[in-house]
Amino acid sequence: GVFSKAERAALGALLDYLCLSQAGGSPKLSPPRQVVEGAVLAVDPATRASLEIDRTLSGSRKGSLLDAIDRTVTAPGARCLAERLGRPLTDIAVINARLDAVGFFVTSADTRRICRDRLRAAGDAERALSRLLLGRGGPRDMKALSAALEEGAALASAVQGAPLSAPPLNIQRNIEALTLDDKPELAALLTDLERAVIDEPPLLARDGGFVAEGWRPELDETRGLRDESRRVVAGLQQTYAEASGVAALKVKHNNVLGYFVEVTAKNGDALMGNEAFIHRQTMANAVRFTTTELAKLEAKISSAGERALAMEIDVFNGLRDRVEAQAEPIRASSHALAELDVATALAEWSVETDACRPVIDESCRFAVEGGRHPVVEIALERSGEGRFTPNDCALDGAGGAAPRLMLVTGPNMAGKSTYLRQNALMLMLAQSGCHVPARAAHIGIADRLYSRVGAADDLARGRSTFMAEMIETAAILNQATERSFVILDEIGRGTSTFDGLSIAWSAAEHLHGVNQCRALFATHYHELTRLIDEMDGAANWSLKAREWKGELVFLHEVGPGAADRSYGIEVARRAGLPPVAIKRAQVILDRLEAEGAPAAALAELPLFAALEPAVERGPSAVEMRLADIDPDGLAPREALELLYALKSIAEKA
């Protein structure tokens, strides 16, 4: 290929690392493939972490998107699925080809079941091949390759013989990679691997005993000699026991003495005077001897064992050389198995969850009907807490069929963050070539995905919670394009009320007017809901809640319109704040709302001049009484009486 200087430098660094990690060995690599810039959806680390694609925020795989949709039955398939989720595509043709493969297995239940049964027995051919090419493999890796090639050929026959319409292009290509009819050398290798290696070989070639009987006649003869010699040793034990009159006599072996005769200390004297037995070692409980016959047999057995092991190693090296020569077709077969595993697994998940195939095109639309969060839905089912409430979402970067910017308001704990995340995950799933958990979906390709959800600091880099939030927000506002998809949750909550409101206000205006991207903007700053009067491409949506018999009921339904309250005190009560603190918070809230304090402050900022004016009020009774008092002229008793009087006035007010 034609690579740039920077690409060649990166390839050289990788090759140098591989040579170093393999202790100077020359790794067998496939030719490098150049990835075109913009071929994958750009997802920065902060977005990947907040959306919990393959790991949750706590670092666990359980609870991630990958864990929720993974139905693969092989290790290569699991790795392939993780790679697809980690690198969603922007090429519509490739995405639709993947969707065609998933759709084929959705409609072909019997074929899907047969494929998954075959895949379960296929093993991990990718890792086995890598170990053999690096010189670290053993007989079990050869058996794994044999099983994978055999199951792959059977799987190809099953799909080709399915009584349905012809499989799509992706599946046809995988079937061709698995078929052995046009690969005589690979077929011959498979046959020889099945014949040469026993069903349950040892882990390492140096352990021996893995070559099947009948594969090499001279090896069988050498093994026979070795095994016959061992039977002779067993016969000698009986002969020595009868000749010495010691029934407890044993012939044993260790790496120091080789073969030896062992009797108990009580019977040692009986053999000491016998010239046929040569004393070797006396221990507390036993006495050991050797004989001329044992020494000769040991040499014969050792020689036969060494020759047999050398022959087996030679067989192994010959087979490994043949595997290396067929590395590319084997690698193609293992990759085909992984892709078929992913296609059947996603089809299985799609049927389980009633997911739909999204419509993918070049537009800037994002229209989802009855969308569900794939992870939260499974968590609710497992806990028995009820079913997930589906919600629609409609955005249009062009600002035509739907708003470009959606301001999402609603009570705490009502599901705003879940709603934002589920739509971002819809985009990732669709561009990865997966079905999406919804009734219908029309998704225009995005070039970048950004998520600013949750609060977290980065103390190791000296960043506070608010600083980390601003850095991530800055990256979004500086880099998002017209084709990007952005979700923002609670921008500006980490600083003072008016600072945060100002930042959130300007960020919303920037996303709408400068970036002009599809964006979901969740906030508790209800003042922002008035932005739709100034922005043609903005709309208010909110999550609904109802008060019932003094309790707040979250409906988890998203609909048009702005929320009027956040019900934060109700959430605090549910969290377990002391009743006294809750009561005090309600008193303070009522007073602030009655006095119009936020409106009065906002009126002083030119940015918010369009808001309603502050509520005007005169001086209170306490303030008028205090204005007539001269503190220096009060006696102690008069001051105390005045304090009681002021308290009485305040209580009446």
Side-chain angles (χ1 to χ4, degrees):
V2 179
F3 297 98
S4 67
K5 184 176 181 180
E7 289 169 336
R8 292 197 301 272
L11 290 171
L14 288 171
L15 184 61
D16 183 65
Y17 168 76
L18 287 174
C19 292
L20 178 66
S21 63
Q22 301 306 318
S26 178
K28 307 300 185 298
L29 303 175
S30 298
R33 291 180 294 108
Q34 193 174 39
V35 178
V36 180
E37 185 177 0
V40 297
L41 176 69
V43 184
D44 60 26
T47 299
R48 196 176 301 278
S50 69
L51 293 179
E52 300 179 311
I53 304 302
D54 55 358
R55 288 287 185 273
T56 62
L57 294 175
S58 62
S60 171
R61 186 181 188 273
K62 185 176 178 59
S64 66
L65 174 65
L66 179 61
D67 178 64
I69 72 170
D70 189 1
R71 301 294 185 274
T72 56
V73 294
T74 69
R79 293 194 295 269
C80 182
L81 178 59
E83 181 183 0
R84 287 191 181 185
L85 282 182
R87 293 169 59 84
L89 303 176
T90 58
D91 189 322
I92 295 177
V94 179
I95 294 172
N96 280 322
R98 290 180 177 180
L99 291 172
D100 289 341
V102 176
F104 173 80
F105 286 114
V106 167
T107 57
S108 309
D110 291 339
T111 305
R112 182 175 75 245
R113 176 182 53 79
I114 294 172
C115 288
R116 287 172 66 79
D117 290 341
R118 289 291 182 183
L119 286 165
R120 286 187 179 91
D124 193 344
E126 286 182 348
R127 290 287 173 87
L129 178 63
S130 296
R131 284 192 291 266
L132 288 169
L133 294 181
L134 289 171
R136 296 181 178 181
R140 290 184 187 176
D141 295 310
M142 288 187 174
K143 204 63 183 177
L145 286 183
S146 172
L149 293 173
E150 182 180 6
E151 295 298 335
L155 189 154
S157 299
V159 175
Q160 287 176 326
L164 293 171
S165 59
L169 181 61
N170 266 18
I171 297 179
Q172 288 181 358
R173 186 175 64 248
N174 291 328
I175 295 306
E176 291 172 1
L178 294 172
T179 303
L180 300 177
D181 296 340
D182 57 342
K183 306 177 184 69
E185 294 183 2
L186 188 59
L189 175 61
L190 170 60
T191 301
D192 290 346
L193 287 175
E194 291 176 343
R195 289 181 51 218
V197 184
I198 63 175
D199 291 338
E200 296 183 4
L203 178 63
L204 303 174
R206 65 171 179 263
D207 294 335
F210 58 86
V211 177
E213 188 176 353
W215 175 251
R216 181 175 286 189
E218 60 269 28
L219 174 60
D220 295 340
E221 292 177 6
T222 305
R223 283 175 172 173
L225 179 61
R226 179 194 63 192
D227 297 339
E228 180 62 27
S229 299
R230 289 174 178 171
R231 284 193 290 271
V232 172
V233 170
L236 280 176
Q237 176 176 301
Q238 184 176 357
T239 301
Y240 291 155
E242 293 174 353
S244 64
V246 180
L249 180 147
K250 301 291 182 184
V251 176
K252 298 183 178 181
H253 180 275
N254 65 29
N255 292 331
V256 177
L257 299 179
Y259 285 98
F260 58 87
V261 174
E262 182 177 283
V263 296
T264 61
K266 181 176 67 173
N267 295 319
D269 293 339
L271 272 66
M272 284 292 186
N274 193 329
E275 295 180 356
F277 295 95
I278 304 169
H279 178 258
R280 292 294 305 272
Q281 190 176 31
T282 298
M283 298 183 298
N285 299 320
V287 183
R288 293 173 174 174
F289 301 86
T290 188
T291 67
T292 304
E293 293 89 347
L294 279 178
K296 292 180 179 179
L297 278 173
E298 181 180 353
K300 187 176 180 181
I301 292 171
S302 175
S303 175
E306 290 175 358
R307 290 201 309 274
L309 180 59
M311 290 181 187
E312 291 202 67
I313 295 296
D314 184 60
V315 170
F316 176 82
N317 289 336
L319 292 173
R320 187 180 62 189
D321 291 342
R322 293 177 62 185
V323 168
E324 184 174 330
Q326 295 295 313
E328 286 308 314
I330 292 175
R331 188 176 283 115
S333 296
S334 62
H335 183 66
L337 287 171
E339 289 200 339
L340 287 172
D341 189 14
V342 171
T344 56
L346 290 175
E348 190 82 6
W349 172 76
S350 179
V351 172
E352 287 179 12
T353 60
D354 195 24
C356 73
R357 173 174 178 159
V359 175
I360 306 293
D361 58 22
E362 290 283 357
S363 70
C364 289
R365 290 195 61 191
F366 184 89
V368 173
E369 297 179 15
R372 311 183 305 276
H373 194 297
V375 180
V376 177
E377 183 178 33
I378 290 179
L380 289 175
E381 291 177 357
R382 290 173 178 172
S383 64
E385 296 181 9
R387 301 188 63 182
F388 189 90
T389 303
N391 281 298
D392 300 344
C393 182
L395 296 171
D396 187 356
R404 178 188 306 139
L405 173 69
M406 183 186 292
L407 293 168
V408 183
T409 53
N412 290 290
M413 296 295 294
K416 294 190 300 299
S417 295
T418 299
Y419 179 69
L420 265 61
R421 283 188 172 101
Q422 80 181 39
N423 287 296
L425 294 180
M426 293 280 181
L427 183 80
M428 288 206 69
L429 286 171
Q431 294 194 209
S432 297
C434 308
H435 285 191
V436 296
R439 289 194 304 272
H442 181 170
I443 297 176
I445 289 293
D447 62 349
R448 300 168 182 264
L449 174 63
Y450 293 103
S451 170
R452 164 90 275 281
V453 178
D457 53 30
D458 190 354
L459 298 181
R461 298 185 181 182
R463 297 173 180 173
S464 66
T465 301
F466 182 65
M467 185 61 176
E469 174 187 330
M470 288 298 99
I471 289 175
E472 294 175 14
T473 304
I476 295 172
L477 298 185
N478 284 317
Q479 299 176 17
T481 69
E482 294 180 359
R483 300 203 64 86
S484 299
F485 192 93
V486 177
I487 62 171
L488 289 171
D489 189 15
E490 304 301 340
I491 292 297
R493 301 299 289 184
T495 185
S496 68
T497 301
F498 302 122
D499 279 353
L501 177 55
S502 303
I503 293 171
W505 188 298
S506 63
E509 289 181 337
H510 198 281
L511 283 172
H512 178 271
V514 179
N515 302 112
Q516 297 185 353
C517 58
R518 292 163 287 180
L520 294 172
F521 195 109
T523 184
H524 280 293
Y525 292 127
H526 295 271
E527 294 82 358
L528 295 184
T529 59
R530 303 182 185 183
L531 280 173
I532 65 169
D533 297 333
E534 304 174 7
M535 299 179 181
D536 295 335
N540 283 322
W541 281 60
S542 60
L543 283 102
K544 309 303 180 184
R546 295 289 184 270
E547 292 187 72
W548 176 256
K549 296 182 178 180
E551 294 287 335
L552 184 63
V553 179
F554 297 123
L555 303 181
H556 303 294
E557 294 179 357
V558 181
D564 57 348
R565 297 176 60 189
S566 293
Y567 298 95
I569 293 178
E570 172 62 20
V571 175
R573 184 188 65 79
R574 292 189 177 193
L577 263 68
V580 174
I582 295 295
K583 185 176 180 180
R584 177 59 177 162
Q586 188 64 54
V587 169
I588 296 172
L589 176 63
D590 293 342
R591 180 176 298 176
L592 289 173
E593 290 179 343
E595 294 178 356
L602 286 174
E604 300 174 3
L605 297 176
L607 178 64
F608 306 104
L611 297 179
E612 294 180 357
V615 177
E616 297 183 2
R617 61 183 182 90
S620 65
V622 174
E623 292 171 338
M624 290 188 294
R625 181 70 182 272
L626 288 172
D628 298 333
I629 296 173
D630 179 15
D632 295 332
L634 292 176
R637 185 177 182 83
E638 292 175 337
L640 183 60
E641 291 175 349
L642 179 59
L643 181 60
Y644 279 111
L646 291 174
K647 186 175 184 300
S648 176
I649 295 173
E651 290 175 348
K652 292 178 181 179

